Amino acid sequence: MLLRTAWRRVAAALPAAPGPRPEAPTRGLRLRVADHAPQSAVPSDTAIAPEMESVLRPLYMDVQATTPLDPRVLDAMLPYLVNYYGNPHSRTHAYGWESEAAMERARQQVASLIGADPREIIFTSGATESNNIAIKELEDAIQPDTSLVSIMSVNNEIGVKQPISEIGQICSSRKVYFHTDAAQAVGKIPLDVNDMKIDLMSISGHKIYGPKGVGAIYIRRRPRVRVEALQSGGGQERGMRSGTVPTPLVVGLGAACEVAQQEMEYDHKRISKLAERLIQKIMKSLPDVVMNGDPVHHYPGCINLSFAYVEGESLLMALKDVALSSGSACTSASLEPSYVLRAIGTDEDLAHSSIRFGIGRFTTEEEVDYTVEKCIYHVKRLREMSPLWEMVQDGIDLKSIKWSQH
Amino acid sequence: MAASSRARVLDLYRAMLRESKQFSAYNYRTYAIRKIRDAFRENKNVKDPVEIQTLVNKAKRNLEIIHRQVHIGQLYSTDKLIIENQEKPKT
C-alpha cells in the first residue's frame, strides 16, 4: 500500500518531457535512476538536473500476478482485432462464420491441453467467473448428499501442488463433484481431466501468457455435471454463459493453450533450473531464510521465501528495481499477513517477512542473478539496522523476551 | 539435395536470429534467440526429409511471426529494463 502511494507521487511529479525516443509516446511508470553508463543527452526542454538521468523499467518477477502476452498469442489475436471483427453468433454472413470458426478452433486448443472434449469448454471472463459458476452449481444440486470439493491445483502464493489425481479418485468413488481452480497450473504441469477425474476446472488466460479478461470453465459431460448459469441472456455457450463470445480474446486463450502444450516440457526444465539457482544462491549467502511450502510437491516457478528479522514490505520497497510481491495480488491492499502462510503454520513474524519470486517462460538467468544480488544486499542492510537481528547475534532467544505493554 | 537443404536450414537459422535480435523488449528478444538456438540444436540430427520439411515450414511460419511482432514491438517500444544498461547488449 505504501509502495503504491509512493509510486503515485512519483508518477504525478514526472515532468511531461519526451523520453530518449521522442516519437514513442511515454507510457507506464518509470524509475529515475542515476546513469551508470555514458549515454547521449536526453532531449528535453524542461529544466532537469544536469547529471545524466535515464529512466529504466524494473525487472518483472511477479508472474503469479499476471504474465506478459507471448508474441505468438498476440500474433494470433490481431487479425480478429483488425479485419475479422464479426460476431461469432451471426449465422448469416462470412464475418460471423469466420469468427465462429476461430472461436471453435480456440475451444479445441483449450480442450486439447487438458484432455477434454471441446463441448466441455465454456468461455468465461476469467477463472474467477468460472469459480463462481462451479460453486453456484453446488447450491442448485438439491440432493442432500451431493457436495463439491474445490481445490487449487497450484497455489499462487507458495507454489504448492495439490495431489489432484488422488483427490479426484476419492471424490469419484464417493460420488462427490470435484472442482479445481487450475489457473496457475494449466499449461505448466500436465493436467488431464479424465486421468485425474476432474469434473469442473477453472482456466485463466492471463496466467498462461494469454490476454486478460478471458478464461474458461471445463464442465464434464460424462457423467453429466449440471451447472446453473450465472449470466443469463441470449443463450450463448450452450446456455451456460450468455453474452457475445469475445473472439479476439478467446483466440488468444486458445493460442496460449496451444503454445503452452508445445512449450511445457522446455519451460518446466528451464524454470526448474532457474529456481534452483535462485534458491541456492540466496540460501548460500544468507542465514535464516525459510522457503514456504512443501519442497517436494512444488511448482518451481513460484518461490516464496521468508527472510527472518526483515519486514517484507521494507524489502519490497528496497528492491525497487525488481517487480515482486509479498503474497497474492488479490489481497495486497490489506496489510494482514497472508492467510496461506498462516494456514501452513508459519510464525506470525516470518509471515510478515515473506517475498514471492515468480519465474516464467521469459525470465532470464541475468534477471535471476540481478534479483538475487539485490536481495542479498538489501536483506543484509536491513538486518544490520534491525535491533532484533542484533539481539539474535548476541545469542538472545527472542521467544524468551517478555515485551512490556505501553 | 542434402547439401542445399542444409544450406537452406542454416540460412533460415541465421535469418531467424537476425530478426529476433531486433525485438525491442528484452524478455522477448532473449527468449526468441535462446529458443531458436535450442530448437535448431535439438533437431540437428533429424534425417527424415519429410520431417525436415515439416520443421522448416514451421520455422518459416515462426520467422514471419517474429518479423511482425518485432515490428509491432518497435512501434510501441518503451524504456529499457534496469538490467539492459549493465549487461552487454545480447546481439
Side-chain angles (χ1 to χ4, degrees), chain A residues 57 69 75 263 266 364, chain B residues 26 28 35 38 68 80 82:
Chain A
R57 291 175 64 75
L69 274 186
D75 201 72
E263 305 289 348
Y266 177 87
T364 66
Chain B
Y26 168 87
Y28 290 160
K35 192 75 223 277
D38 288 348
R68 286 191 293 265
K80 291 192 187 299
I82 188 92

Side-chain angles (χ1 to χ4, degrees), chain A residues 12-48:
Chain A
L14 281 178
R21 255 186 309 273
E23 331 82 54
T26 54
R27 293 193 195 87
L29 291 172
R30 303 125 101 215
L31 286 173
R32 287 206 166 270
V33 192
D35 202 349
H36 302 294
Q39 258 192 358
S40 53
V42 174
S44 158
D45 29 8
T46 66
I48 309 184

Side-chain angles (χ1 to χ4, degrees), chain A residues 119-174:
Chain A
R119 291 169 293 181
E120 298 173 306
I121 303 290
I122 305 291
F123 290 118
T124 61
S125 64
T128 302
E129 186 188 340
S130 304
N131 286 341
N132 276 274
I133 293 174
I135 302 295
K136 181 111 193 307
E137 190 268 349
L138 169 67
E139 295 188 82
D140 301 304
I142 307 174
Q143 289 98 11
D145 56 336
T146 311
S147 59
L148 173 75
V149 168
S150 176
I151 307 276
M152 265 177 144
S153 308
V154 169
N155 182 275
N156 58 327
E157 292 199 30
I158 57 182
V160 160
K161 286 195 320 207
Q162 300 296 351
I164 296 295
S165 292
E166 287 85 341
I167 298 173
Q169 275 295 116
I170 296 171
C171 286
S172 147
S173 59
R174 308 275 183 91

Side-chain angles (χ1 to χ4, degrees), chain A residues 88-139:
Chain A
H89 313 292
S90 298
R91 319 225 63 145
T92 59
H93 49 71
Y95 287 86
W97 305 329
E98 78 197 348
S99 189
E100 184 188 21
M103 175 178 76
E104 293 309 323
R105 212 166 29 239
R107 203 185 299 277
Q108 173 60 63
Q109 289 166 324
V110 176
S112 163
L113 180 59
I114 59 172
D117 184 288
R119 291 169 293 181
E120 298 173 306
I121 303 290
I122 305 291
F123 290 118
T124 61
S125 64
T128 302
E129 186 188 340
S130 304
N131 286 341
N132 276 274
I133 293 174
I135 302 295
K136 181 111 193 307
E137 190 268 349
L138 169 67
E139 295 188 82

Side-chain angles (χ1 to χ4, degrees), chain A residues 174-237:
Chain A
R174 308 275 183 91
K175 303 265 191 294
V176 166
Y177 292 121
F178 179 34
H179 163 257
T180 181
D181 181 344
Q184 299 284 350
V186 165
K188 301 187 178 129
I189 58 171
L191 291 171
D192 187 298
V193 292
N194 293 315
D195 290 348
M196 297 169 168
K197 304 226 186 315
I198 296 170
D199 296 311
L200 295 150
M201 183 194 283
S202 302
I203 297 165
S204 171
H206 74 111
K207 303 290 165 56
I208 57 173
Y209 311 96
K212 296 171 183 58
V214 69
I217 180 168
Y218 158 78
I219 304 172
R220 176 173 288 282
R221 287 179 84 237
R222 295 220 183 94
R224 176 151 301 235
V225 175
R226 311 200 128 273
V227 292
E228 164 117 342
L230 274 184
Q231 199 163 299
S232 53
Q236 289 86 357
E237 293 296 274

Side-chain angles (χ1 to χ4, degrees), chain A residues 311-324:
Chain A
E311 233 285 325
E313 291 286 323
S314 325
L315 185 54
L316 277 185
M317 284 177 73
L319 289 169
K320 59 176 170 40
D321 299 342
V322 185
L324 289 165

